[in-house]
Amino acid sequence: MSTVSTAPLVVLVGPPGVGKSTVAALLAERVGAPLRDSDADVEAAAGRPIADIFVEEGEEYFRGLETAAAAAALAEPGAVVCLGGGAVMTPAVDEAVSAAASAGARVVMLDVGIADAARRIGLNQSRPLLAINPRASWIAMMETRRPTYERLATDVVDTAGRDVDSVVAEVEALVRDAS
């Protein structure tokens, strides 16, 4: 007798610039799963970009929207879930990711170094927490966040110097191995 999992298929976590949204979209397409991107869900619900939410309402307001979006995404069985870089720093999201992993979801940390992150996002695009002194901000952010990413992750995939197809293939193999 097989049981139907109520967990997402996979949850992608990691820093800004690692490619979570791109990898999630391609992976969802390849495995035929629904895609849930908490940043996209926040923007859709708010009707404006995250950078505007930060400027107009502040980080605390944004984190409230993000927590609700993450909770909804993590409750979708079989989904490919992509969480914003800071989402797991909120205790409720951290707990929800841990619960998803306990229920069978793969939690994959996509990792990247500063050199690759700088090339990918320029460290100056619409990323509110990186607006002032982007390099130093990114490094400080990673010192704070890396232990949480690593603690939550069932797997770590290094994206440094790799094309998106090879990263998606590695994550897909992890997901298939778990089934």
Side-chain angles (χ1 to χ4, degrees):
M1 178 171 148
S2 69
T3 59
V4 176
S5 175
T6 59
L9 180 65
V10 64
V11 179
L12 299 178
V13 299
V18 76
K20 295 181 301 290
S21 293
T22 302
V23 170
L26 289 172
L27 179 63
E29 184 179 307
R30 282 190 188 177
V31 300
L35 171 65
R36 294 299 301 267
D37 183 323
S38 67
D39 282 349
D41 290 350
V42 165
E43 289 183 339
R48 56 193 165 152
I50 289 170
D52 290 354
I53 297 168
F54 261 79
V55 169
E56 296 165 13
E57 308 291 341
E59 183 176 0
E60 185 176 340
Y61 180 80
F62 165 72
R63 294 295 176 202
L65 296 176
E66 179 181 58
T67 298
L74 291 164
E76 186 160 339
V80 172
V81 176
C82 170
L83 297 178
V88 297
M89 301 310 291
T90 302
V93 176
D94 180 311
E95 291 168 16
V97 171
S98 292
S102 293
R106 293 305 279 251
V107 179
V108 179
M109 175 191 173
L110 297 183
D111 202 2
V112 69
I114 183 68
D116 281 295
R119 268 196 311 279
R120 292 176 189 175
I121 64 174
L123 294 183
N124 65 0
Q125 293 179 355
S126 60
R127 301 192 186 257
L129 294 179
L130 300 176
I132 299 172
N133 195 349
R135 261 185 122 66
S137 296
W138 192 90
I139 291 167
M141 180 186 299
M142 281 305 292
E143 286 175 3
T144 301
R145 293 179 180 178
R146 180 174 294 283
T148 301
Y149 295 148
E150 290 175 344
R151 176 179 49 78
L152 291 171
T154 58
D155 303 279
V156 177
V157 172
D158 189 356
T159 67
R162 297 175 65 189
D163 65 51
V164 69
D165 286 327
S166 70
V167 173
V168 172
E170 185 173 343
V171 176
E172 183 179 7
L174 291 169
V175 169
R176 293 207 188 280
D177 287 348
S179 340

